[in-house]
Amino acid sequence: MTYSEAAAGERADKIERAARFLTTMPRAGPALRREEVRKWRVGSTPYVLIYRVLAERIDVLRIHHGRQDWKRD
């Protein structure tokens, strides 16, 4: 597999688009242990956003690769 700056840029753009979507639909992702903490799979990538819903915004807490054991962190 070849890695490139262009491919990295494309993934970063998809992550940013997912985060922007979540600002409009903050409860779209399933809740984790506490309702205000949720997860969202970034489409066509192996990445998962872990985010918190606040009154006027979301905070992306972590970005994990889907193969990581992110539940233990």
Side-chain angles (χ1 to χ4, degrees), residues 16-47:
E16 288 177 16
R17 282 195 302 271
R20 279 195 301 274
F21 166 76
L22 291 171
T23 64
T24 63
M25 300 287 293
R27 301 206 184 284
L32 297 179
R33 292 180 193 166
R34 293 174 288 159
E35 187 171 327
E36 71 273 5
V37 177
R38 296 174 171 266
K39 69 177 181 174
W40 185 256
R41 178 130 191 307
V42 179
S44 71
T45 76
Y47 295 97

Side-chain angles (χ1 to χ4, degrees), residues 5-73:
E5 288 183 28
E10 288 175 21
R11 285 198 176 169
D13 288 345
K14 289 178 181 182
I15 290 168
E16 288 177 16
R17 282 195 302 271
R20 279 195 301 274
F21 166 76
L22 291 171
T23 64
T24 63
M25 300 287 293
R27 301 206 184 284
L32 297 179
R33 292 180 193 166
R34 293 174 288 159
E35 187 171 327
E36 71 273 5
V37 177
R38 296 174 171 266
K39 69 177 181 174
W40 185 256
R41 178 130 191 307
V42 179
S44 71
T45 76
Y47 295 97
V48 176
L49 299 180
I50 306 299
Y51 67 100
R52 177 181 14 229
V53 178
L54 301 172
E56 308 244 343
R57 68 176 200 270
I58 66 160
D59 282 343
V60 175
L61 303 174
R62 296 182 184 200
I63 301 170
H64 284 281
H65 190 281
R67 291 189 178 175
Q68 281 181 293
D69 188 6
W70 54 269
K71 294 177 184 177
R72 291 182 50 199
D73 291 345

